[in-house]
Amino acid sequence: MQRIEFLNYPDDERPSALLWGFRIDGTDLRVHVADATRDLWRQEHEEETQAEQERFLLTQHNGLYVSEVGDPARHFLGDPAPEFAHPSTGATPVLGCCCGVWGCWPLLAMITTTPETVTWTSFRQPFRREWGELPLGPYVFARPAYATALAEPIRVAEDPLGHGR
């Protein structure tokens, strides 16, 4: 099983607004997404330098605004508010776009629960259907530890990846 940390951190553009972020086994979810999408993006961003590509990969997503998520226990247990759930699959956004509008470039996942586990699977980018399911996860978390981490998010003073947008 994996270990999850829920984070709250300020948006670089709106420091008074907090975002939800995650570390899975100590690594920011956005790093996992960068690794999973690197080859897919290379097909579209051939003209960029290696450094520009890496920066883009790490900044393609940001967290979801705490104020928009509503009830985080419902959202991050796979029962998001109707405006967040993907209309055909019910998938839950776990990351949003770096522009601040979550629906502009969301990372969707299926979140399923049992009394013992919470599982994140079937990661997709809805605006790149041709990518299919991303090579990410599945991530299986012990439900008691997951619930504790969700109830007590770690507050950090800046974006955990340490870069301004």
Side-chain angles (χ1 to χ4, degrees), residues 13-14 25 60-61 66 73 114 120-121 128 137 145 155-156 165:
E13 300 296 319
R14 297 178 16 207
D25 293 336
Q60 67 181 304
H61 290 291
V66 169
T114 70
W120 291 16
T121 60
R128 291 294 192 281
R155 176 75 187 266
V156 294
R165 299 209 185 279

Side-chain angles (χ1 to χ4, degrees), residues 29-45 48 53-61 95 105-108 123-126 128 131-137 139:
L29 179 59
R30 294 171 293 171
V31 172
H32 291 292
V33 174
D35 292 341
T37 59
R38 183 171 282 107
D39 289 338
L40 297 165
W41 278 119
R42 276 196 187 117
Q43 299 168 25
E44 297 182 34
H45 291 257
E48 293 179 343
Q53 287 177 4
E54 287 304 308
R55 177 161 171 73
F56 171 80
L57 287 168
L58 290 172
T59 61
Q60 67 181 304
H61 290 291
L95 291 174
W105 189 251
L107 176 68
L108 303 177
F123 291 87
R124 293 185 181 275
Q125 172 38 256
R128 291 294 192 281
W131 288 2
E133 186 174 324
L134 297 174
L136 195 60
Y139 299 118

Side-chain angles (χ1 to χ4, degrees), residues 19 22 28 31 35 40 60 68 88 135 160 164:
L19 298 162
F22 317 95
D28 194 291
V31 172
D35 292 341
L40 297 165
Q60 67 181 304
E68 291 181 344
S88 63

Side-chain angles (χ1 to χ4, degrees), residues 56-116:
F56 171 80
L57 287 168
L58 290 172
T59 61
Q60 67 181 304
H61 290 291
N62 207 356
L64 300 172
Y65 284 104
V66 169
S67 62
E68 291 181 344
V69 167
D71 181 355
R74 285 188 58 197
H75 186 96
F76 295 116
L77 287 172
D79 185 24
E83 64 271 18
F84 274 102
H86 188 270
S88 63
T89 66
T92 301
V94 292
L95 291 174
C97 185
C98 64
C99 76
V101 177
W102 75 268
C104 179
W105 189 251
L107 176 68
L108 303 177
M110 294 301 297
I111 300 175
T112 56
T113 63
T114 70
E116 296 82 29

